[in-house]
Amino acid sequence: EAGVTQFPSHSVIEKGQTVTLRCDPISGHDNLYWYRRVMGKEIKFLLHFVKESKQDESGMPNNRFLAERTGGTYSTLKVQPAELEDSGVYFCASSQGWSRAFFGQGTRLTVV
Amino acid sequence: EDKVVQSPLSLVVHEGDTVTLNCSYEVTNFRSLLWYKQEKKAPTFLFMLTSSGIEKKSGRLSSILDKKELFSILNITATQTGDSAIYLCAVSGVGGSEKLVFGKGTKLTVNP
């Protein structure tokens, strides 16, 4: 069974540029989550999709972040324009129902 | 606000030692507590605990939940160098988005 896959593994961009992160959840998982870990801090929730609908986006830092989930399959998280404080590791996770969440390997974003 | 506190933040032991990792939490309408192991990339699932006093066991790892005192422990016996990782504790509440609230993690280093 394929796990949650994220692309890219690492991205380095300049402040003010745009970056798009992609997550492919486990097939059949309706729930898709985005989390972020900033250096020295705990992993924090960003948002939750159920199929293609946003269930909870209370963790999104500001309107520079835009998440989409096309047709309830893969999801993208776009940061535009990126700021230095957006640097961190962005994790995607998926689950079926309220069972355990499976995590991807994360995308390390570095904004310079 | 929901909160998870893990201790210690860091631990260095020798192979063969037994370790106990702690996780205390505050969450509205508790549903479950989960332990993950994070080596280089994706956090990998270890245990999900929902009922108090019932030990979950997998090989040398075991975990138990105390819902009255709001904490959980993760035990690792006869540690091996391959157990070196960050161990993450997370909780979820009933209702809402089923998002996970994480602690900062315990970094375990097992030396030969």
Side-chain angles (χ1 to χ4, degrees), chain A residues 9 33 35 37 40-43 45 48 55-56 58 91 98-105, chain B residues 31-32 34 36 38 41-43 45 48 50 86 88 96-100 102-105:
Chain A
S9 298
Y33 302 84
Y35 291 87
R37 184 169 196 158
K41 304 278 188 180
E42 61 271 24
I43 297 173
F45 168 81
H48 171 212
Q55 177 78 10
D56 181 356
S58 62
F91 289 102
W98 66 273
S99 63
R100 61 179 168 122
F102 292 81
F103 281 78
Q105 81 280 10
Chain B
R31 182 193 286 280
S32 61
L34 296 91
Y36 287 86
Q38 184 179 18
K41 298 282 188 179
F45 173 82
M48 183 166 76
T50 56
I86 296 173
L88 299 165
S97 68
E98 313 292 349
K99 66 186 180 189
L100 294 176
F102 282 87
K104 289 188 176 182

Side-chain angles (χ1 to χ4, degrees), chain A residues 1-22:
Chain A
E1 176 187 273
V4 177
T5 56
Q6 292 186 245
F7 181 83
S9 298
H10 191 185
S11 180
V12 181
I13 61 171
E14 290 186 326
K15 176 183 170 180
Q17 290 184 328
T18 297
V19 63
T20 300
L21 314 181
R22 175 172 169 140

Side-chain angles (χ1 to χ4, degrees), chain A residues 27-76:
Chain A
S27 177
H29 281 192
D30 290 338
N31 294 297
L32 186 149
Y33 302 84
W34 283 99
Y35 291 87
R36 176 174 74 171
R37 184 169 196 158
V38 172
M39 188 157 54
K41 304 278 188 180
E42 61 271 24
I43 297 173
K44 287 210 164 170
F45 168 81
L46 296 177
L47 89 159
H48 171 212
F49 284 100
V50 177
K51 297 185 180 178
E52 67 275 8
S53 300
K54 290 176 186 173
Q55 177 78 10
D56 181 356
E57 50 184 329
S58 62
M60 294 287 261
N62 51 60
N63 59 11
R64 295 185 293 102
F65 289 74
L66 175 64
E68 295 179 323
R69 190 178 182 191
T70 307
T73 56
Y74 71 92
S75 174
T76 58

Side-chain angles (χ1 to χ4, degrees), chain B residues 39-86:
Chain B
E39 295 175 85
K40 294 199 182 301
K41 298 282 188 179
T44 53
F45 173 82
L46 294 175
F47 300 110
M48 183 166 76
L49 302 148
T50 56
S51 301
S52 205
I54 298 176
E55 185 182 49
K56 292 276 182 104
K57 201 168 170 61
S58 176
R60 296 176 294 102
L61 278 66
S62 64
S63 182
I64 197 159
L65 174 67
D66 185 329
K67 288 169 77 171
K68 185 179 174 187
E69 299 297 329
L70 307 182
F71 79 89
S72 173
I73 60 172
L74 175 68
N75 275 321
I76 308 175
T77 58
T79 52
Q80 302 171 357
T81 54
D83 295 327
S84 296
I86 296 173

